[in-house]
Amino acid sequence: MNPVDLVGAVLFALALVHTFSTKAFHALAHRYPRHAGLFHLLGEVEVVFGFWAFVLIAVMALMGGGAAAIGYVESRQYTEPLFVFVVMVIAASRPVLDAVRALLGLLARLAPVRTEVALCWLGLALVPLAGSLITEPAAMTLAALTLAPIVFRPGMPEWGKYAALGVLFVNVSIGGTLTSYAAPPVLMVAGTWGWDSVFMLTHFGWRTALAVAINATVATLLLRRHLAPQEAASTEAAPLAVSMIHIAFLALVVLLAHHPVLFIGLFLLFLGFTTAYQRHQDPLILKEGLLVGFFLAGLVVLGGMQQWWLQPLVSSLGPTAIFFGALGLTAITDNAALTYLGSLITGLSDHAKYMLVAGAVCGGGLTVIANAPNPAGAALVRQGFAHGSIGAVGLFLGALLPTCVAALFFLI
């Protein structure tokens, strides 16, 4: 440990405290209207880690010079924040949503229950599991926008919103583990440990499917009396050809997820296409996507300074302790960063490797920062919560039971 490491740990801790205190900043905005804009900015969860990352860069520049600070920032890998931004914007475009809603609506009408009940279950179960194919950020975006009008709305009790959000975050976190490329914490270790999609399906598959189904069923039963009927679309659905082109853009971005130059180029072509056929588009969620990307980039910068204490801690634990340690640590640091540090540890047994990843994905719903897609989901549904803000304690309590269900299956 050197002084810069210590400063990085302190600022990371302050960022965590800030994350859990965002509602206090909104209260300050009402108390001091002259500075309301600043307090509302600091009260946005997506701003927190980016803000403290800039503080870290400034402190590093004062302590070691501007070249050292810039060198550290440029040494970090920002592919994941860029990918989440791009995939979030494309997945939330109206033609993609029209296609997904049409498919989910067809399945819901075939179910022997009310349409809104079936849609709630599908949004909490089927879409998160589809994240194993389309990646977790895309699944989170589609699930959040599908559930928003029937669950995350003013008429739903606050406890119901937090219960649904907790299930959504947990199910997305574990739902991407059926393949080796869709979940960020799995992606970080798959190449190093030789885990392919067959391995993931056989070791995580049935556990994930059962946990997701149970969590979604319990949540849907609890919420069924409060679910709003599905409203008729206010605009004409996009033509099938336009929807298929949007889906093709989404599929290509997913395939090129590790090549930012290429998927950013595709994104620019996508923006050109949406401009050419603007009559079939709704406003793109560029602001929300940029905020989420800013959050994740800040987490990359701050998280990169935590290796000096995280790696020795993980390497000192036995397999069972690794599982619960990873589950707990995931709540205060991104689970992909945690598994990446685990991949650097030599001599881990196969059992310990499984326990590390299982614990990391199980804890991915406990906080907004625990899993990379969580900020995207929070940004898309938070307006349905009281004061337009998601409380850290409410989210933790809402995710606690589905986390225990997932942990039980992964420990079997």
Side-chain angles (χ1 to χ4, degrees):
M1 181 184 68
N2 57 51
V4 175
D5 288 333
L6 183 59
V7 169
V10 170
L11 292 179
F12 186 76
L14 290 174
L16 290 176
V17 173
H18 188 168
T19 300
F20 293 112
S21 308
T22 51
K23 282 196 171 183
F25 285 93
H26 289 291
L28 289 172
H30 292 290
R31 187 173 180 181
Y32 302 102
R34 185 177 179 181
H35 305 290
L38 175 62
F39 287 124
H40 278 304
L41 177 67
L42 295 176
E44 299 289 346
V45 172
E46 295 85 358
V47 171
V48 172
F49 275 81
F51 170 78
W52 287 102
F54 272 106
V55 174
L56 173 64
I57 295 167
V59 173
M60 291 178 70
L62 291 173
M63 295 178 66
I70 293 173
Y72 170 72
V73 173
E74 292 185 340
S75 70
R76 308 309 300 157
Q77 175 60 256
Y78 300 99
T79 299
E80 185 178 8
L82 289 170
F83 173 74
V84 170
F85 162 66
V86 170
V87 82
M88 182 178 172
V89 174
I90 297 177
S93 62
R94 190 180 116 200
V96 173
L97 285 175
D98 285 344
V100 171
R101 285 169 176 161
L103 175 60
L104 295 179
L106 174 62
L107 295 175
R109 288 190 293 273
L110 295 175
V113 294
R114 288 185 294 131
T115 300
E116 57 269 24
V117 174
L119 282 174
C120 178
W121 189 89
L122 291 169
L124 291 174
L126 182 62
V127 180
L129 286 174
S132 288
L133 297 176
I134 62 174
T135 74
E136 287 185 354
M140 178 69 80
T141 301
L142 293 172
L145 291 173
T146 299
L147 294 169
I150 58 176
V151 177
F152 302 109
R153 57 183 182 80
M156 174 69 68
E158 286 297 295
W159 66 264
K161 298 173 193 174
Y162 281 110
L165 189 65
V167 169
L168 175 62
F169 280 9
V170 172
N171 281 3
V172 168
S173 181
I174 64 176
T177 60
L178 302 183
T179 59
S180 60
Y181 68 87
V186 175
L187 185 61
M188 291 298 178
V189 302
T192 303
W193 292 346
W195 289 9
D196 57 13
S197 293
V198 174
F199 175 91
M200 295 303 303
L201 188 62
T202 54
H203 288 77
F204 288 81
W206 67 271
R207 296 176 171 89
T208 293
L210 286 175
V212 165
I214 291 173
N215 288 339
T217 302
V218 171
T220 303
L221 289 174
L222 290 174
L223 300 175
R224 67 188 186 281
R225 295 181 181 178
H226 306 284
L227 297 174
Q230 185 184 24
E231 298 180 1
S234 57
T235 56
E236 184 181 353
L240 179 60
V242 175
S243 292
M244 294 306 295
I245 291 173
H246 277 238
I247 292 172
F249 271 114
L250 180 61
L252 287 172
V253 167
V254 169
L255 289 173
L256 298 171
H258 308 303
H259 306 283
V261 173
L262 293 176
F263 71 67
I264 289 293
L266 277 171
F267 181 64
L268 295 177
L269 288 175
F270 168 80
L271 293 178
F273 182 81
T274 60
T275 302
Y277 294 92
Q278 200 163 6
R279 63 187 180 276
H280 301 309
Q281 310 291 334
D282 286 337
L284 299 175
I285 58 168
L286 294 172
K287 185 188 79 171
E288 293 85 350
L290 285 171
L291 282 173
V292 170
F294 183 61
F295 176 95
L296 295 173
L299 188 58
V300 167
V301 172
L302 280 173
M305 300 294 294
Q306 314 311 314
Q307 184 173 349
W308 66 271
W309 65 270
L310 265 177
Q311 187 170 331
L313 180 60
V314 172
S315 62
S316 66
L317 302 175
T320 303
I322 281 180
F323 177 86
F324 289 105
L327 194 153
L329 287 171
T330 288
I332 62 170
T333 184
D334 178 62
N335 55 10
L338 189 60
T339 58
Y340 169 72
L341 293 176
S343 71
L344 301 177
I345 301 172
T346 58
L348 279 181
S349 66
D350 290 341
H351 187 202
K353 292 174 182 177
Y354 167 83
M355 286 295 199
L356 173 64
V357 174
V361 297
C362 279
L366 293 171
T367 61
V368 172
I369 68 171
N371 192 31
N374 290 359
L380 294 173
V381 304
R382 67 182 177 190
Q383 292 304 321
F385 287 78
H387 310 298
S389 178
I390 296 173
V393 175
L395 171 59
F396 179 84
L397 294 176
L400 192 57
L401 181 59
T403 298
C404 291
V405 172
L408 176 63
F409 280 102
F410 282 116
L411 284 172
I412 294 176

